[in-house]
Amino acid sequence: MRRTPVRMLGRPIAAAVAALVMLGLLTATPEDPGREPAVPVAASESTTTVFYYTKTKDWSAYRLHYAPDGGAWTTVPGVAMEAACTDWVKRTVGVGSASGLSATFNDGSGVWDNNAGRNYALGTGTITVKDGVVAHSDPCAGTGTDPSPGGGRTAEVYYSTATVGWTTANLHYRPVGGTWTAVPGVGMEPACTGWVRKSVDLGSATTMAAAFNNGNGVWDNNAGLDYTVPAGLTTVKDGKVTTGTADPCAAETPDTRAPSAPARVRAGVDGVSVVLTWDPSTDDRGVTKYQVTRTGGTKGTLVTDVGSTVYSDTGLEAQTAYSYTVRAVDAAGNVSAASAAATATTGEKPAAPAAGQPLGTDPRKDPVYFVLTARFQDGDSSNNRGGSQHEKSGNAANGDPMFRGDFKGLVDKLDYIKGLGMSAVWITPVVLNRSDYDYHGYHGYDFYEVDPRLESAGASYQDLINAAHAKGMKIYQDVVYNHSSRWGAKGLFTPKVYGVRDTQWSWFYDERNEGFEYDGLTVEPKSGKSYYNGDLWSTAEPSGNTCVNWGKPTQYTSPEGYRIYNCQWPSPTSGMFPKALYHNCWIGNWEGEDSRSCWLHDDLADLNTESAPVQNYLIGAYDKYIDMGVDGFRVDTAVHIPRTTWNRRFLPAIQERVTQRFGAGAAKNFFVFGEVAAFVNDKWNRGSVNHSAQFYTWKERKEYSADDEKAALEMYDYEQQQGTGSQPTSTNAFLNGNAYHTPDRSRFSGMNVIDMRMHMNFGDAGNAYHNGKDSDDSYNDATYNVVYVDSHDYGPNKSSERYAGGTDAWAENMSLMWTFRGIPTLYYGSEIEFQAGKKIDCGPTCPLATTGRAYFGGHLAGDVKASEFGTVDSATGAVADTLAKPLVKHVQRLNLIRRAVPALQMGQYSTEGISGSMAYKRRYTDTATGTDSFALVTVTGGATYTGVPDGTYKDAVTGDTRVVTGGTLTVPAPGKGNLRVYVLDLGGRNAAPGKIGTAGPYLK
């Protein structure tokens, strides 16, 4: 929401500011009724004044090359810009009747800044472009016309940007008795690290009302009250006004020291794309940005601003040599020397489907269906693979290879999922895996490649994303940052183990084939295996080996009785894995610091995520999938990475990339939800805040060492000392009486979470409800929690079996999940109680067909068509029988009801004035769209609601109509698994829908 109806940029804006807007660091609030209404900036103007920041470029000349919307471009190199003030040039251009312009900048001699190839999309009025960030501001303005001249008093205002992270700051003010400056106010100038300032002539006034903004609709207006700033020197920091204070910059020596030059710049090629990575630069006060300069090709020299140590350069010319250098920039605008050049030559442009684009809608609207892709539906048997454990596991006897389902099968059955009413599909990791039993996707080997055992001709991963989007469905990709396969991560580090083809071990070690490269699918001709291992071992000690006692026999033997040798198997404690890239220990305490920095299992090599090369590798890899248009990431094992690393590196990188590619709107709704596993009923996981799900939804609240590894330890110790009682709290999930209020997302980390506490308690819906409600004040916003009963790992109460509480209990759980706060999520097959009571996972020690990860395709045979969510147009064969099951009918109608009542999707809730075991009221209000939805809900039991708004209420289940005149409504118990949803009829677009769908086995 915006504070005032200013026309902002109107297109995707630059990454840094857009990420702030997306994250809701500061929220816009409605304008004061007594304040003079603001006129949209471009309402009556036909010009744009563009200011361009020069300090970090230092070109000899500056030119603006532009085209008004719908108009022609200027002749290259464009029009000259003129000096405006220190570090700024400007140019005012006419745009006629257009509402904005596209722009690029250059030095007149072939060096360009074109926003990484996307051009800058600018509106009208006064615009700044600073190191890739676009904002509304005049950086060279004085105080403007004095609203009340005559007294000569001056207010010198210092504003702290350390917390908000703005690169542009405006002061919007009104001296007492005067008028407000025109929105967005006057530009503030840098004062010192973390501070900007502005001097204002108050005239005869002694104080002024003030608010601050970033020039892109994000405001700090003291929670709608505005700040009162007197004459003299005043500081405003984190909402606190300090008057008569000393100059916060007086003791700080001006920063004139440039950062160190970036080191170890590396360029990797993927077709016509280059992924550039480098080691972080050092600076006495911190690096804020990097400048990447590219030469080569026919488009001249390109300069791009980057916020991380990874840059993905896409859409390059084929078979062309490029050279890249990188410079570091600090907050004062000091620029380092250029790095050594990294060169790369592109290959041929691959034939591929067009990249998708995320749907970009509020994720709370979308119930989630979770599938193990390899176990869902087999659309192409040619990519089926059983792996090395095919016989041993018993899968061969069942004709059930572990890799069986694929993207083609999923594409074929999207209408089944849509017919259930589910509009988001969470799929297991797609990257190339490598282990003995890797069908699930969590043993990543090449993070930059999609596993070909999932793809087919015409059914690539991109095809799946595009097909889902064509049906209005989202794809959430499961991602792993914590670990790689035991065989490392290709392109980062892959270990070499000791092996010998002697009389005992020749059966195990494949002969090396220099011309063969493992991809999991292709069969190596000598061994006849797709799981070939000839590239993983060596008898001779390899150059650079760090594994201790290479090849020396031990006292141990294998199950077959064969002698075991040192360094024969990947291990964290053998010295085999470099400490700069991998952790070298086993977890000893699951609620200790070592749970964030040691191996979970011998199949999961724990990455040193505080290392820049590892960060670069992962960020670059997941940029690729963001570019494909996925709608979100489910983050595996998120708790095993320090929160500081998420908040500093990975989460900002995700937001930056989505913003760059698809704009701030898509970034705001790119859904990241983490697995912060806690298997207890405590609000805080055994009293440890660092191991609790809600902890990861918050930003850091103090500064730590610039070194990520040290910062992780400092944060761990600090937060453990603070304890559970001193953690931040939030009212974002709760109504204020009967009223919805704008959530405060300013301290949101960027990661939502799976609701582990509700998951652990879903043995009984009432327990899940009360435990979930008890924790909601400790999440940043629990309305985004992902809620499920069971999954591919555990059932409720850490059960190792799929939920088997019975159909009635399932119906009750579903009724709660679909109407309570959070996003309802269903593990594949739960709609028919698939494999209820079966062990979820036993590895290769038993057939998959006997587990909770069994193949589901037998229940999907036949054809199904669904044009609308929750409604099946036609179905034949086994899938028609599946769709006739009682819980299928139940979830279909729940989805119809939830889609018709916005309060159930995005609303806050309250139990104030309500009696009933699972009863609550919910409301969602959006003034921008005119939406106001209020509902009273009870699950299974009866309820009495007091103090609710008078009016007409209609039940979405039965159509029953009640008129409330005294603020009280009593609802009889509907029965187990049933519910009532009385929606307040507010007329117009907010009219109560009445009965939705037809009566079923539970909703009746």
Side-chain angles (χ1 to χ4, degrees):
M1 293 178 65
R2 289 178 177 154
R3 182 173 182 269
T4 53
V6 179
R7 181 199 184 274
M8 302 316 290
L9 301 181
R11 306 178 183 80
I13 60 176
V17 166
L20 294 175
V21 175
M22 181 283 311
L23 290 174
L25 293 175
L26 296 168
T27 56
T29 58
E31 186 163 16
D32 281 345
R35 179 169 299 166
E36 183 178 342
V39 178
V41 168
S44 60
E45 295 177 359
S46 58
T47 62
T48 296
T49 299
V50 183
F51 287 82
Y52 187 72
Y53 189 64
T54 64
K55 184 172 183 178
T56 54
K57 297 294 188 295
D58 198 28
W59 295 341
S60 60
Y62 295 84
R63 288 185 172 267
L64 169 65
H65 181 46
Y66 71 96
D69 291 352
W73 283 89
T74 53
T75 302
V76 173
V79 296
M81 304 187 76
E82 63 189 31
C85 60
T86 303
D87 298 329
W88 291 93
V89 292
K90 71 176 181 179
R91 180 71 188 226
T92 299
V93 298
V95 294
S97 60
S99 59
L101 71 158
S102 297
T104 66
F105 304 88
N106 66 88
D107 70 348
S109 300
V111 178
W112 289 82
D113 171 8
N114 64 1
N115 195 22
R118 293 178 298 280
N119 301 327
Y120 289 100
L122 310 180
T124 54
T126 303
I127 307 289
T128 60
V129 180
K130 180 180 180 181
D131 294 337
V133 178
V134 181
H136 279 276
S137 185
D138 182 347
C140 301
T143 58
T145 302
D146 180 10
S148 303
R153 293 186 177 90
T154 299
E156 188 171 8
V157 186
Y158 284 77
Y159 182 74
S160 172
T161 59
T163 301
V164 297
W166 295 345
T167 56
T168 299
N170 293 314
L171 170 63
H172 183 44
Y173 68 93
R174 176 179 63 83
V176 171
T179 57
W180 285 93
T181 52
V183 172
V186 297
M188 304 185 76
E189 61 189 29
C192 59
T193 305
W195 290 93
V196 292
R197 68 184 171 200
K198 196 69 182 179
S199 293
V200 175
D201 186 349
L202 298 179
S204 60
T206 57
T207 62
M208 66 178 180
F212 305 88
N213 66 84
N214 73 344
N216 276 303
V218 180
W219 287 78
D220 175 7
N221 62 2
N222 194 22
L225 301 176
D226 296 323
Y227 291 100
T228 298
V229 177
L233 195 151
T234 301
T235 63
V236 181
K237 181 178 182 180
D238 297 338
K240 181 181 180 182
V241 177
T242 304
T243 61
T245 184
D247 181 343
C249 298
E252 182 172 320
T253 304
D255 184 6
T256 58
R257 179 180 174 185
S260 64
R264 295 208 316 143
V265 180
R266 300 168 294 282
V269 177
D270 181 5
V272 290
S273 298
V274 171
V275 177
L276 198 70
T277 64
W278 57 92
D279 289 351
S281 296
T282 58
D283 185 72
D284 57 340
R285 301 185 191 180
V287 174
T288 58
K289 221 171 250 290
Y290 294 89
Q291 268 184 17
V292 177
T293 300
R294 183 192 79 200
T295 58
T298 62
K299 298 179 181 178
T301 300
L302 184 70
V303 179
T304 301
D305 296 286
V306 181
S308 68
T309 53
V310 178
Y311 175 58
S312 298
D313 201 6
T314 59
L316 300 172
E317 297 167 58
Q319 298 292 338
T320 301
Y322 290 92
S323 178
Y324 296 84
T325 59
V326 185
R327 297 174 184 265
V329 182
D330 65 16
N334 299 308
V335 183
S336 75
S339 69
T343 59
T345 300
T346 56
E348 293 294 339
K349 183 176 182 179
Q357 180 164 333
L359 296 184
T361 55
D362 192 315
R364 295 173 296 179
K365 295 181 178 180
D366 300 297
V368 179
Y369 193 75
F370 172 33
V371 301
L372 269 72
T373 308
R375 309 302 301 156
F376 185 63
Q377 169 70 14
D378 187 6
D380 176 11
S381 60
S382 70
N383 59 12
N384 292 357
R385 295 292 183 271
S388 65
Q389 304 299 302
H390 192 46
E391 299 288 341
K392 177 183 176 181
S393 65
N395 291 337
N398 292 325
D400 185 26
M402 62 173 183
F403 266 95
R404 188 172 179 184
D406 45 40
F407 294 147
K408 189 174 190 304
L410 190 48
V411 169
D412 291 344
K413 298 305 177 184
L414 284 174
D415 273 12
Y416 170 77
I417 300 171
K418 186 170 185 175
L420 294 177
M422 315 298 280
S423 51
V425 186
W426 158 17
I427 61 173
T428 39
V430 305
V431 305
L432 176 61
N433 268 230
R434 193 168 195 180
S435 75
D436 292 327
Y437 218 50
D438 55 3
Y439 65 94
H440 44 67
Y442 297 99
H443 298 164
Y445 175 68
D446 188 341
F447 287 63
Y448 285 78
E449 292 298 325
V450 175
D451 201 309
R453 291 170 288 187
L454 299 174
E455 294 193 304
S456 310
S460 66
Y461 185 34
Q462 186 68 71
D463 290 317
L464 169 63
I465 294 168
N466 294 351
H469 288 174
K471 294 180 180 294
M473 302 170 71
K474 296 179 177 179
I475 296 293
Y476 294 152
Q477 178 179 328
D478 211 320
V479 295
V480 184
Y481 288 77
N482 176 69
H483 56 264
S484 71
S485 75
R486 63 159 57 99
W487 300 111
K490 185 179 178 182
L492 180 70
F493 173 78
T494 53
K496 188 80 72 174
V497 298
Y498 173 80
V500 58
R501 287 176 59 83
D502 59 10
T503 55
Q504 291 188 339
W505 288 104
S506 60
W507 63 276
F508 185 79
Y509 293 107
D510 299 328
E511 183 180 347
R512 185 169 181 82
N513 182 345
E514 295 292 347
F516 182 81
E517 186 170 359
Y518 168 86
D519 67 5
L521 178 70
T522 306
V523 174
E524 193 275 322
K526 291 183 180 180
S527 65
K529 301 174 183 176
S530 61
Y531 49 94
Y532 156 84
N533 66 17
D535 58 329
L536 300 176
W537 66 276
S538 171
T539 302
E541 184 172 359
S543 174
N545 169 63
T546 55
C547 186
V548 179
N549 296 320
W550 176 268
K552 289 186 177 181
T554 71
Q555 61 184 343
Y556 304 108
T557 57
S558 72
E560 298 84 1
Y562 303 149
R563 179 61 52 200
I564 292 176
Y565 299 85
N566 278 313
C567 306
Q568 197 174 5
W569 198 247
S571 166
T573 56
S574 65
M576 182 178 295
F577 288 82
K579 291 183 179 180
L581 303 177
Y582 283 88
H583 292 131
N584 288 182
C585 53
W586 296 103
I587 287 181
N589 179 2
W590 289 86
E591 280 76 44
E593 193 284 323
D594 57 339
S595 73
R596 312 179 312 159
S597 55
C598 295
W599 287 36
L600 307 172
H601 190 272
D602 64 359
D603 258 338
L604 311 176
D606 202 75
L607 290 162
N608 180 0
T609 50
E610 287 62 66
S611 157
V614 172
Q615 293 168 356
N616 293 342
Y617 178 86
L618 294 169
I619 291 170
Y622 290 126
D623 277 355
K624 171 178 179 175
Y625 306 107
I626 290 171
D627 291 353
M628 294 173 76
V630 296
D631 300 278
F633 288 157
R634 180 267 186 181
V635 182
D636 183 68
T637 51
V639 69
H640 298 292
I641 295 176
R643 188 179 72 177
T644 46
T645 305
W646 286 115
N647 284 340
R648 284 182 173 191
R649 308 300 173 198
F650 298 135
L651 295 173
I654 291 170
Q655 293 303 320
E656 178 176 346
R657 189 62 177 181
V658 179
T659 303
Q660 286 177 343
R661 295 291 294 170
F662 306 113
K668 177 181 179 181
N669 289 315
F670 188 89
F671 190 46
V672 178
F673 60 104
E675 178 202 24
V676 182
F679 304 109
V680 295
N681 292 333
D682 306 339
K683 181 173 182 176
W684 295 95
N685 184 9
R686 294 187 173 92
S688 174
V689 296
N690 278 281
H691 301 87
S692 300
Q694 57 269 50
F695 183 73
Y696 280 75
T697 66
W698 296 94
K699 287 184 174 182
E700 304 309 327
R701 47 183 173 164
K702 70 184 298 289
E703 294 184 7
Y704 302 104
S705 169
D707 179 274
D708 286 352
E709 186 173 355
K710 292 179 181 178
L713 294 170
E714 290 171 3
M715 184 277 292
Y716 183 90
D717 291 340
Y718 173 77
E719 293 292 356
Q720 290 297 91
Q721 290 169 8
Q722 292 298 302
T724 60
S726 297
Q727 295 302 309
T729 59
S730 169
T731 61
N732 284 341
F734 305 117
L735 293 172
N736 185 2
N738 292 315
Y740 179 88
H741 63 92
T742 302
D744 177 6
R745 306 271 287 171
S746 63
R747 302 307 300 157
F748 174 52
S749 66
M751 182 185 290
N752 300 286
V753 291
I754 294 167
D755 197 319
M756 295 300 296
R757 195 175 182 193
M758 288 192 72
H759 166 47
M760 284 294 101
N761 283 279
F762 258 121
D764 175 80
N767 283 343
Y769 167 67
H770 290 289
N771 276 275
K773 186 160 59 79
D774 178 57
S775 293
D776 283 352
D777 65 342
S778 58
Y779 297 96
N780 182 271
D781 191 342
T783 67
Y784 288 85
N785 283 15
V786 170
V787 182
Y788 57 62
V789 173
D790 64 356
S791 73
H792 60 326
D793 287 327
Y794 293 103
N797 300 312
K798 205 181 179 182
S799 168
S800 60
E801 299 170 349
R802 286 195 72 157
Y803 183 64
T807 310
D808 290 354
W810 253 121
E812 186 177 49
N813 287 341
M814 288 176 171
S815 291
L816 175 64
M817 287 194 294
W818 261 258
T819 58
F820 190 46
R821 60 91 185 122
I823 301 170
T825 300
L826 202 61
Y827 182 40
Y828 81 100
S830 293
E831 65 274 18
I832 62 168
E833 299 175 83
F834 180 60
Q835 299 294 91
K838 298 294 179 66
K839 191 174 182 64
I840 291 173
D841 175 35
C842 56
T845 65
C846 71
L848 280 166
T850 65
T851 73
R853 299 179 178 182
Y855 176 66
F856 194 56
H859 297 277
L860 301 175
D863 295 319
V864 56
K865 298 296 180 187
S867 56
E868 302 293 335
F869 290 104
T871 303
V872 174
D873 299 333
S874 63
T876 61
V879 72
D881 297 333
T882 299
L883 289 163
K885 299 290 185 182
L887 287 179
V888 170
K889 297 298 183 185
H890 187 55
V891 78
Q892 285 176 319
R893 193 169 182 210
L894 284 170
N895 273 318
L896 291 174
I897 292 171
R898 191 176 188 271
R899 286 185 177 278
V901 183
L904 301 183
Q905 302 170 42
M906 300 167 288
Q908 295 162 343
Y909 78 96
S910 173
T911 58
E912 180 183 357
I914 301 173
S915 65
S917 58
M918 285 186 285
Y920 35 91
K921 55 187 176 184
R922 299 194 66 187
R923 190 170 206 151
Y924 176 72
T925 305
D926 182 5
T927 55
T929 61
T931 301
D932 189 12
S933 175
F934 184 80
L936 305 176
V937 181
T938 184
V939 179
T940 298
T944 296
Y945 305 85
T946 61
V948 299
D950 290 342
T952 300
Y953 290 78
K954 297 180 181 179
D955 178 26
V957 178
T958 65
D960 179 47
T961 299
R962 303 284 191 91
V963 177
V964 174
T965 57
T968 299
L969 176 66
T970 298
V971 179
K976 190 174 181 69
N978 202 351
L979 77 155
R980 297 290 179 259
V981 182
Y982 279 90
V983 181
L984 177 60
D985 192 339
L986 294 171
R989 66 172 295 148
N990 297 310
K995 183 179 179 180
I996 300 169
T998 58
Y1002 290 98
L1003 298 181
K1004 53 190 177 180

